[in-house]
C-alpha cells in the first residue's frame, strides 16, 4: 500500500512569489492534515480536512495560506505571497475515520525555503 | 509557554544502553499520548500510543504516562544503532484530532 506522498520534496522561491504544495493521502483515508515545522521549533498543526470539508483550520497562520481538497482526494496548500518566515518543512498526514486514536500517517514533507 | 515541553538533546548513548526520553505538558485535556520516530528526511512514524495513564510495552519499547504529574516517558531497552533518530512526543485531546508535538529529541546510538 502506498503511503502519503508529497510534492515537491523541496522548493526554493523568492519572497513575494507563490508556491503550491501537494499531498496525496493514503487511499481511503478521509482525514487529511497539514502540519508545519519551522527551524528550531516543534511541528505545529495547520488544518484538518474531513473529505473535502475543512474541519479545523485554526492553525493556519494568516490569509496568505490557502488549502483545498477537491473531491476529497488530494490536497494543495498554496502560499501567496510567500514571506521569509514561511520557510520550513510542511508535512501532510492522513488517517481513517474509524479507529482509535485515528493513527495519522505522515508524508516525507516538503522543505520550503523562501529567500 | 509551550503546551508540550521536550528536551531537544542531542542525546548520545552506546549500543545496548537503556534510553529514557521524556515530555511534560500543561493541557489537562490531553488524553492520547504518542511517540513518533523520525529518521532524517522522512516523515514522523508512529511508534507507540497510550490512552490516559499507565504503561504500555512493545518489544524493546515501553511508554509510560503519569497524568497526575503531566509527564510521559519512552524507554528503549538494548538500544541499537538503528534506533538513531529524532523521537517526538505528541498528544491529543479526546475531542478533535489535531496533534500537539514536542520539539523532538535527537538520539544517536553509537556502535
Amino acid at each position: 500500500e502506498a503511503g502519503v506522498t508529497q510534492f515537491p520534496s523541496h522548493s526554493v522561491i523568492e519572497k513575494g512569489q507563490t508556491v503550491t504544495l501537494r499531498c496525496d493521502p493514503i487511499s481511503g483515508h478521509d482525514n487529511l492534515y497539514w502540519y508545519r515545522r519551522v527551524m528550531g521549533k516543534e511541528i505545529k498543526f495547520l488544518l484538518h480536512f474531513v473529505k473535502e470539508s475543512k474541519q479545523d483550520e485554526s492553525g493556519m497562520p494568516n490569509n496568505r495560506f490557502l488549502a483545498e481538497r477537491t473531491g476529497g482526494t488530494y490536497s494543495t496548500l498554496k502560499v501567496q505571497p510567500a514571506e521569509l518566515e514561511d520557510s520550513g518543512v510542511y508535512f501532510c498526514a492522513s488517517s481513517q475515520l474509524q479507529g482509535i486514536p485515528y493513527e495519522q500517517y505522515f508524508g516525507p514533507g516538503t522543505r520550503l525555503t523562501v529567500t | 509557554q509551550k503546551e508540550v515541553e521536550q528536551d531537544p538533546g542531542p542525546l548520545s548513548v552506546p549500543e545496548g544502553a537503556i534510553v529514557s526520553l521524556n515530555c511534560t505538558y500543561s493541557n489537562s485535556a490531553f488524553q492520547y499520548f504518542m511517540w513518533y520516530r523520525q529518521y532524517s528526511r522522512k516523515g514522523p512514524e508512529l511508534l507507540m500510543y497510550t490512552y490516559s495513564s499507565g504503561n504500555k510495552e512493545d518489544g524493546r519499547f515501553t511508554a509510560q504516562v503519569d497524568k497526575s504529574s503531566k509527564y510521559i516517558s519512552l524507554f528503549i531497552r538494548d538500544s541499537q544503532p538503528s534506533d538513531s533518530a529524532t523521537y517526538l512526543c505528541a498528544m491529543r485531546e479526546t475531542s478533535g484530532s489535531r496533534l500537539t508535538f514536542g520539539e523532538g529529541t535527537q538520539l544517536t546510538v553509537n556502535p
Side-chain angles (χ1 to χ4, degrees), chain A residues 35 37 48 58 104 107 111, chain B residues 32 41 43 97-99 103:
Chain A
Y35 292 86
R37 181 171 190 149
H48 169 209
S58 60
Q104 296 183 23
R111 184 173 300 272
Chain B
Y32 294 98
R41 304 291 179 176
S97 54
R98 65 157 65 186
L99 297 179
E103 196 174 331

Side-chain angles (χ1 to χ4, degrees), chain A residues 2 4 9 12-14 17 27 29 35 39 59 82 86 91 95 106 113-114:
Chain A
V4 176
S9 58
V12 181
I13 61 172
E14 293 183 352
Q17 290 186 322
S27 178
H29 282 193
Y35 292 86
M39 183 79 73
D86 301 332
F91 292 104
S95 71
F106 281 78
T113 302
V114 183

Side-chain angles (χ1 to χ4, degrees), chain B residues 6-63:
Chain B
Q6 182 177 11
D7 186 342
L11 181 62
S12 182
V13 302
E15 183 175 354
I18 296 175
V19 177
S20 172
L21 304 168
N22 313 292
C23 289
T24 59
Y25 63 95
S26 57
N27 185 351
S28 300
F30 287 143
Q31 292 288 338
Y32 294 98
F33 303 91
M34 297 144 211
W35 286 95
Y36 280 82
R37 178 175 61 195
Q38 185 179 15
Y39 292 113
S40 182
R41 304 291 179 176
K42 302 285 187 182
E45 171 193 21
L46 182 65
L47 259 183
M48 298 186 70
Y49 75 88
T50 310
Y51 174 70
S52 195
S53 285
N55 293 359
K56 187 171 184 178
E57 188 173 319
D58 184 2
R60 297 184 294 109
F61 298 88
T62 299

Side-chain angles (χ1 to χ4, degrees), chain A residues 34-86:
Chain A
W34 284 98
Y35 292 86
R36 176 175 75 169
R37 181 171 190 149
V38 297
M39 183 79 73
K41 303 271 189 169
E42 69 274 17
I43 296 173
K44 284 193 172 180
F45 168 84
L46 294 178
L47 89 159
H48 169 209
F49 283 100
V50 177
K51 298 184 181 179
E52 66 275 8
S53 300
K54 291 176 185 174
Q55 185 77 12
D56 180 359
E57 54 182 327
S58 60
M60 295 288 264
N62 52 61
N63 58 10
R64 296 185 293 104
F65 289 76
L66 175 64
E68 295 180 323
R69 191 181 183 193
T70 307
T73 54
Y74 71 92
S75 175
T76 58
L77 180 64
K78 180 191 288 188
V79 184
Q80 178 183 28
E83 298 288 345
L84 297 178
E85 64 264 26
D86 301 332

Side-chain angles (χ1 to χ4, degrees), chain A residues 9-25:
Chain A
S9 58
H10 192 186
S11 179
V12 181
I13 61 172
E14 293 183 352
K15 176 182 171 180
Q17 290 186 322
T18 298
V19 63
T20 300
L21 314 181
R22 173 171 169 143
C23 168
D24 286 80

